[in-house]
């Protein structure tokens, strides 16, 4: 396809390890049901704090995938 058309979905990945792990978890899960994943954009990052330490990351991403046509 010369000039692809893309659709966007928004996902929130979570991780106790890192922001990068949260993104990877979201992309990995989307890959199970959505074809032609092409790119992502981080739109929000937040987390939970417990006992003065980061306990959990939440990262919201927009994922673009090409639409077959």
């Amino acid at each position: 396809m010369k000039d692809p058309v893309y659709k966007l979905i928004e996902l929130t990945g979570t991780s106790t390890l890192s922001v990068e792990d949260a993104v990877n978890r979201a992309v990995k899960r989307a890959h199970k049901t959505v074809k032609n994943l092409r790119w992502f954009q981080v739109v929000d990052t937040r987390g939970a704090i417990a006992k003065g330490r980061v306990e959990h990351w939440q990262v919201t991403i927009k994922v673009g995938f090409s639409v077959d046509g």
Side-chain angles (χ1 to χ4, degrees):
M1 184 176 351
K2 191 173 187 178
D3 295 315
V5 173
Y6 296 99
K7 181 168 177 71
L8 290 174
I9 57 174
E10 191 169 276
L11 305 167
T12 300
T14 64
S15 173
T16 56
L17 299 177
S18 67
V19 170
E20 183 177 354
D21 188 52
V23 170
N24 281 322
R25 287 173 179 268
V27 170
K28 185 177 179 180
R29 178 58 184 89
H31 176 71
K32 291 180 180 182
T33 58
V34 180
K35 296 179 184 178
N36 305 319
L37 297 176
R38 298 291 183 233
W39 53 269
F40 74 92
Q41 172 187 356
V42 174
V43 295
D44 193 22
T45 306
R46 59 194 169 277
I49 299 170
K51 298 179 184 176
R53 297 184 63 167
V54 174
E55 180 180 63
H56 205 98
W57 293 98
Q58 296 177 343
V59 182
T60 301
I61 60 175
K62 288 184 180 178
V63 178
F65 59 96
S66 58
V67 178
D68 293 333

